Amino acid sequence: MTKLSVNINKVATLRNARGGNNPDVLRVARDAEQFGAQGITVHPRPDERHIRYQDVRELKPLITTELNIEGNPIDSFTQLVLEVKPTQVTLVPDGEEQLTSNHGWDTLENRTFLTDICRTFSEAGIRTSIFVDADPRMVEGAKACGADRVELYTEPYASCYAQDREAAIAPFVAAAEEARRVGLGLNAGHDLSLENLAYYHQLIPWTDEVSIGHALICDALYMGLRDTIQRYLEALR
């Protein structure tokens, strides 16, 4: 079964807007697991505009499923991951001023760097996933870097889904098949929602994990966190 990892960054964004600790990021993480989520994802950025480094430290002993930390492996991020030792680290090539992730790694041009960082995390017993576009060459390159998984950047699928879902999913099927061919685990994330998740999973059922934050938290404002998580889990069955 494909696991659902809930990204709680948007909860931290809301908290940070007013200061204090409301909503409580740690409580939301515990509740998400209680309601059926099989993992928690966080993406700490250098400016800490949503999840803070200290949040990550406090989350680790509370998580009973899997903790996935994603981000650009700059020195401070790498040190945090090695300190916390999550189940998984997802390497994302986002700049410090970038609003949100908008592309995957070029695993061919960055092979030396990615190989070194994958080795560092692997030696610490941390599963590594590289965020890539839906391009079989980038998937194959991730394998050569020593990654355990790839995470397909699914915004292009989500943005084209309403117009032509078959065309939108086609490059993702090709990339997913390449991951399976070379023996990489397979994750997916970015702009997946209740509108497009079931179809994605129907065509790529061997996906190990989806990481969903923005759409899920928005849905929870209307349906509540418990019912929302159940709806996403149903889409993965």
Side-chain angles (χ1 to χ4, degrees), residues 46-231:
D47 62 6
E48 298 191 321
R49 63 179 180 265
H50 34 60
I51 286 292
R52 301 167 180 154
Y53 278 33
Q54 188 58 32
D55 292 329
V56 180
R57 296 185 179 99
E58 293 174 0
L59 277 165
K60 179 56 167 64
L62 297 179
I63 300 302
T64 60
T65 54
E66 292 191 355
L67 177 61
N68 171 44
I69 305 177
E70 59 183 28
N72 195 332
I74 60 175
D75 288 345
S76 59
F77 177 89
T78 299
Q79 292 166 11
L80 176 70
V81 172
L82 292 174
E83 173 191 344
V84 172
K85 289 187 168 57
T87 307
Q88 177 176 270
V89 58
T90 301
L91 310 179
V92 182
D94 52 0
E96 291 190 18
E97 303 302 321
Q98 203 165 307
L99 178 63
T100 186
S101 305
N102 60 16
H103 65 283
W105 285 97
D106 185 326
T107 57
L108 305 181
E109 287 191 3
N110 295 283
R111 179 172 176 175
T112 299
F113 171 73
L114 291 172
T115 298
D116 288 346
I117 197 68
C118 283
R119 181 184 302 112
T120 295
F121 290 137
S122 179
E123 289 175 352
I126 303 166
R127 186 172 70 225
T128 58
S129 177
I130 298 179
F131 194 66
V132 297
D133 297 323
D135 181 340
R137 297 177 307 134
M138 297 302 108
V139 173
E140 185 177 18
K143 175 68 174 181
C145 293
D148 301 299
R149 294 185 181 181
V150 288
E151 178 172 328
L152 299 183
Y153 168 53
T154 48
E155 189 277 336
Y157 161 74
S159 64
C160 296
Y161 176 84
Q163 290 76 31
D164 187 343
R165 67 179 190 175
E166 292 182 2
I169 196 67
F172 290 87
V173 173
E177 288 177 342
E178 179 65 11
R180 184 162 60 176
R181 185 188 73 82
V182 300
L184 280 175
L186 182 64
N187 298 340
H190 209 88
D191 285 354
L192 293 174
S193 68
L194 287 176
E195 178 185 9
N196 57 46
L197 179 59
Y199 183 71
Y200 186 95
H201 186 253
Q202 176 186 339
L203 270 69
I204 313 176
W206 62 93
T207 302
D208 292 298
E209 172 189 293
V210 293
S211 174
I212 305 178
H214 184 78
L216 189 151
I217 299 303
C218 289
D219 289 334
L221 293 175
Y222 295 95
M223 297 186 289
L225 187 60
R226 183 194 302 270
D227 289 347
T228 296
I229 288 175
Q230 289 304 308
R231 289 278 300 276

